[in-house]
Amino acid sequence: MADPLRAQVAVIRAALRKTIMAIWCVCFCGMRWRAIGRLCDIPFGTLYTLFARWTRLGLWRRLLNRLILAWRQACGDKPVPTAVIIDSRSCQSAPTCFTRSFDGGKKIKGIKIHLAVDKYGFPLAIDVSPANRHDSRGIVPVPHQLAGHRFKGTALGDLSYRGQRLSKAGEALRITIQPSGGGHGGTFIPEGIRWVVERSLGWISRYRRLNTIFERTEGHLVAFIEIAFISILSRCLVRLATQQISA
C-alpha cells in the first residue's frame, strides 16, 4: 500500500509544480491564461481558479515573508528592519483594469504601485492606487501594513511624501516619515540607501505582466508583484547558498 500512495503523492507534487511554473510564466512572460493552459496541458480555468484561491488565502504573501525572513537571517540581520524606503511607480493599464486614471507628471494612463522595501530591496508592504492619486495620499495604507509587521522606525522617501497629514498618520503608528531630496535638475542622485527602492522597481519592470496591467482586482495585481519578488528572492537565496557551499 505504501508504493501506490507514494506514487500518488509524487503525481500530485508534479502537478502542483507544473501549476506554479505556469502561473510564474504568466507573470514573467505576460502570457494569457488560455495560452499557458494549452502549453502545459492544464485547463486555463483550473489555473486561474487555483491562482485566485491561493491569492485569497494569502499564500503568496506568506511565502514572500518567509523568504525575506530567511534572507535577513542568512545576512545576520534582525527579522524586522529599523528603516524602510518608500516609493511609487506608475504603470500603464488596459481599459479592462480595475481602475484607470492619468498621471500628469509622468504622462501615463494607468495605476500606481507603492512599495516599502528594506535595505536589500525586498518589500515589506505593497499597495496600489489610481495613477492620479498623489504619493502622499496613495502611500497611506503602506504604514498600516508595516505596523502589522511590527515595524517601528523610519520610512525614507522623496519630497513627494511631505505633509502634516501623512506625518501624523505615521506618528500614530510609531513610524517616522522622513522625506528628503534625491535629485537635482531632474536627475536622480543616489543618497544613502534611498536608491534601493529604485532597483526594486527596476526588478519588477522585467516581468511583462507588471508593465501593462490587465488585472481586474487589486488583490490579483498585488499577488503578481509578490510572485515577482518570490522569484527574485528565490534566485538570490540559491546564489547565496551556492557561495557558502563553495567557500
Side-chain angles (χ1 to χ4, degrees), residues 50-167:
L50 287 174
F51 166 75
R53 182 180 300 170
W54 291 341
T55 299
R56 187 171 61 253
L57 295 175
L59 174 69
W60 313 114
R61 182 72 255 182
R62 294 201 303 270
L63 178 56
L64 180 59
N65 289 339
R66 289 186 180 183
L67 292 176
I68 293 174
L69 179 60
W71 175 265
R72 294 187 63 84
Q73 289 176 344
C75 295
D77 289 320
K78 295 180 179 180
V80 181
T82 57
V84 296
I85 310 98
I86 54 178
D87 205 353
S88 66
R89 174 189 177 217
S90 295
C91 303
Q92 293 182 353
S93 66
T96 56
C97 184
F98 60 91
T99 186
R100 202 180 189 202
S101 58
F102 188 73
D103 183 350
K106 298 182 180 178
K107 305 296 188 294
I108 292 176
K109 190 173 185 179
I111 58 95
K112 189 175 287 187
I113 299 173
H114 303 273
L115 294 181
V117 303
D118 61 6
K119 66 179 181 180
Y120 300 107
F122 302 125
L124 276 72
I126 304 171
D127 195 66
V128 295
S129 69
N132 62 350
R133 187 170 297 172
H134 194 267
D135 288 348
S136 61
R137 293 180 56 198
I139 201 69
V140 170
V142 170
H144 291 275
Q145 294 183 31
L146 292 173
H149 291 289
R150 297 178 299 173
F151 172 79
K152 296 179 178 61
T154 304
L156 307 173
D158 56 26
L159 296 180
S160 300
Y161 299 104
R162 292 177 294 182
Q164 294 183 355
R165 179 179 299 179
L166 180 60
S167 178

